[in-house]
Amino acid sequence: MDLETHDMLLDALPGLYEKIYLSQSNRPEGMGFYDLVVSDIHGIRPKELVDAKKAGNKIIGAFCVYVPEEIVLALDAILVGLCGGTEFSMPAAEEYLPRNLCALIKSSLGFKVQKTCAYYQVCDLIIGETTCEGKKKMFEILEEHTPMYVIQMPPKPDQANSKEFWLQEMKNLIVKLEEITGNELTAEKLKEGIRLVNEKRTALQRIAETRKEHPPPISGKDALLVTQVAFYDDVARATQKATELYEELQDRIKNGVSGVDPSAKRIMISGTPMAIPNWKMHDIVETSGGVVVIEENCTGARYYSKIMDVDSLPDDLNELITALADRYLDLDCACFTPNDPRLENILKYAEEFKVDGVIYYCLQNCLTYSIEVYKAERALKEKGIPFLKIETDYGTEDVGQLYTRVEAFIEMLK
Ligand code: BJ8
């Protein structure tokens, strides 16, 4: 197995993590598990994946929350999240891609062509999706380096023929995964997959609920990390550790314990996803007098929302697949048009989490999320909710300037 020996992420990560994470005071003890995971990000988990491969399980990589983990698990395979959140993996990708492309796309391709990420190296198949132009064209290059399968997103989810189309895409994916794994999907196994993933989402959602407290019992940085790790950790362990953390957070609330300054302004971060180790925006906010109380993105609420009702699932396999397909099509990525449910969710979270202001975080050159700023800003302004748009990438050159803008925004909220 070609797991890379010179690991640039391991070179860069400890210093960054220490500065951003370990400098926080009075963190929940349950974060110790996540500290351990990050300190050995290319050690423990990739080794588990290699062992699982040896035992006959297939490893499936994915970049997006539209890839149904339930189906992968039901076929005795393992899903790992592969998004790229590092700057160092981008130059290698720029030999294949235009420079003015979203950092997430470049970073992702860079990992594979540089062979610097153990998670990419261990995958038997990577599933892409046609969510945005940049990603779908990048996948054409990625598939020259690794076995790939791309699922197609219907752009208008509300149309009846979109539902049929998406259902067929799910069925085609199942055929591909059955071929790769050599296993056949059954209703019983799919129900079990749905139950496992539901439990993980429920545990993450419960942690999110605790952030409605004032002050929240956990920082935004820590809460973000819990979700980021859930993308690639073993599903049962992710659920167990998130549940333990939730129970500790409950105790902290009861006992009035928090590492967050009660005067910190409550911020929602909305926009593009933040893959490990992209903690830049949370760090700036939380060292400028703010606390992030909710992430309206795929490394936040979109990942753990839409829990399925396990008790009323049908027994018929076709009906089960349909219910699962509906659940996914109900997510509100900016790749859809129109995308009013996302606006409704932004307003809903602003109210539920009692936010003082919204920072709309957008990776440079992400057109879909950039364009949705217009309607999001208008909707929030109509409700009198202060709004700041930040466009940035993975570099550190603009950190000083971002501090100036975020500090001024938080000062204004006071
Ligand atoms: S469901 S947000 S994970 S597509 S940031 S690559 S959209 S140019 S990541 Fe995403 Fe799935 Fe949507 Fe979520 Fe393109 Fe924008 Fe880059 Fe993006």
Side-chain angles (χ1 to χ4, degrees):
M1 175 97 17
D2 184 15
L3 291 184
E4 190 56 34
T5 45
H6 176 68
D7 192 323
M8 293 162 87
L9 187 55
L10 281 188
D11 289 348
L13 209 49
L16 182 69
Y17 192 72
E18 201 176 320
K19 179 176 157 283
I20 293 183
Y21 274 89
L22 304 184
S23 59
Q24 299 179 95
S25 60
N26 203 0
R27 295 172 77 210
E29 280 178 23
M31 289 310 296
F33 166 73
Y34 300 92
D35 292 342
L36 188 76
V37 170
V38 177
S39 69
D40 197 13
I41 197 161
H42 281 175
I44 304 167
R45 184 64 181 142
K47 184 171 178 319
E48 282 179 357
L49 296 173
V50 170
D51 290 346
K53 266 170 92 96
K54 283 184 191 151
N57 303 98
K58 297 294 178 191
I59 313 298
I60 311 296
F63 297 97
C64 179
V65 299
Y66 283 108
V67 177
E69 185 173 14
E70 296 88 339
I71 293 173
V72 175
L73 289 172
L75 289 166
D76 292 330
I78 298 171
L79 190 80
V80 285
L82 291 178
C83 256
T86 60
E87 192 184 21
F88 72 74
S89 55
M90 286 163 45
E94 285 169 5
E95 290 180 25
Y96 301 82
L97 297 168
R99 290 199 56 160
N100 59 344
L101 194 62
C102 136
L104 189 146
I105 298 175
K106 286 193 287 186
S107 177
S108 302
L109 180 69
F111 272 130
K112 184 61 203 175
V113 296
Q114 274 182 325
K115 298 186 179 164
T116 43
C117 177
Y119 294 92
Y120 282 74
Q121 296 305 94
V122 83
C123 284
D124 295 288
L125 177 76
I126 294 180
I127 303 175
E129 15 57 49
T130 61
T131 42
C132 78
E133 301 300 304
K135 258 188 180 175
K136 77 182 184 200
K137 299 308 285 182
M138 180 273 273
F139 293 145
E140 292 176 13
I141 299 169
L142 186 59
E143 74 182 355
E144 293 182 357
H145 300 265
T146 188
M148 279 214 69
Y149 183 84
V150 177
I151 51 177
Q152 195 178 159
M153 307 296 304
K156 296 176 79 175
D158 284 345
Q159 276 188 194
N161 58 356
S162 293
K163 287 188 195 297
E164 281 164 36
F165 177 85
W166 178 241
L167 180 60
Q168 191 54 50
E169 280 299 288
M170 290 293 100
K171 289 182 177 171
N172 295 347
L173 174 67
I174 290 167
V175 170
K176 178 69 185 177
L177 288 171
E178 285 182 332
E179 182 191 307
I180 291 269
T181 59
N183 297 327
E184 194 184 334
L185 190 68
T186 64
E188 200 188 338
K189 293 282 273 182
L190 186 53
K191 270 192 185 180
E192 176 61 7
I194 292 174
R195 188 188 63 74
L196 284 170
V197 180
N198 253 5
E199 283 179 354
K200 175 168 70 171
R201 291 196 185 113
T202 304
L204 294 171
Q205 216 174 72
R206 285 186 177 143
I207 291 176
E209 287 293 310
T210 69
R211 299 166 76 191
K212 291 179 177 171
E213 293 293 323
H214 188 80
I218 183 169
S219 68
K221 282 185 226 185
D222 279 336
L224 171 66
L225 182 63
V226 173
T227 310
Q228 287 174 329
V229 168
F231 271 88
Y232 62 90
D233 198 7
D234 169 72
V235 63
R237 184 173 49 214
T239 306
Q240 184 203 330
K241 292 298 171 185
T243 304
E244 287 169 13
L245 178 62
Y246 164 70
E247 284 162 5
E248 185 188 349
L249 296 180
Q250 290 283 75
D251 285 344
R252 280 164 76 95
I253 292 168
K254 243 183 265 154
N255 299 321
V257 178
S258 173
V260 177
D261 180 347
S263 69
K265 289 291 153 191
R266 301 173 63 87
I267 303 295
M268 178 197 320
I269 290 200
S270 170
T272 47
M274 297 161 163
I276 282 186
N278 180 9
W279 305 304
K280 181 174 168 179
M281 209 56 233
H282 279 57
D283 188 41
I284 291 173
V285 170
E286 298 196 334
T287 49
S288 299
V291 56
V292 179
V293 291
I294 178 76
E295 294 81 18
E296 185 282 314
N297 62 21
C298 291
T299 41
R302 195 172 299 116
Y303 183 62
Y304 49 72
S305 63
K306 313 284 178 200
I307 308 279
M308 293 177 75
D309 180 1
V310 191
D311 295 331
S312 62
L313 288 176
D315 292 323
D316 173 72
L317 180 59
N318 258 319
E319 289 176 28
L320 260 184
I321 297 170
T322 306
L324 189 65
D326 288 348
R327 183 259 165 207
Y328 278 93
L329 206 57
D330 205 20
L331 299 176
D332 59 353
C333 178
C335 65
F336 286 150
T337 185
N339 196 25
D340 295 340
R342 178 162 177 247
L343 288 181
E344 288 155 20
N345 279 329
I346 291 173
L347 294 178
K348 184 177 82 149
Y349 297 143
E351 191 183 333
E352 287 179 0
F353 288 82
K354 301 184 189 71
V355 308
D356 296 304
V358 174
I359 294 183
Y360 196 103
Y361 166 88
C362 214
L363 283 172
Q364 276 162 7
N365 304 307
C366 173
L367 293 184
T368 47
Y369 279 87
S370 243
I371 292 168
E372 285 199 353
V373 166
Y374 171 73
K375 287 190 174 180
E377 180 172 15
R378 185 176 62 190
L380 287 163
K381 281 195 170 154
E382 277 170 12
K383 297 274 178 198
I385 301 166
F387 176 94
L388 175 71
K389 182 189 176 190
I390 298 281
E391 240 185 308
T392 184
D393 60 12
Y394 293 163
T396 50
E397 307 79 34
D398 61 349
V399 165
Q401 189 212 359
L402 292 179
Y403 262 111
T404 307
R405 294 185 61 206
V406 170
E407 281 168 2
F409 181 65
I410 290 175
E411 196 50 44
M412 185 262 292
L413 299 178
K414 290 175 181 165

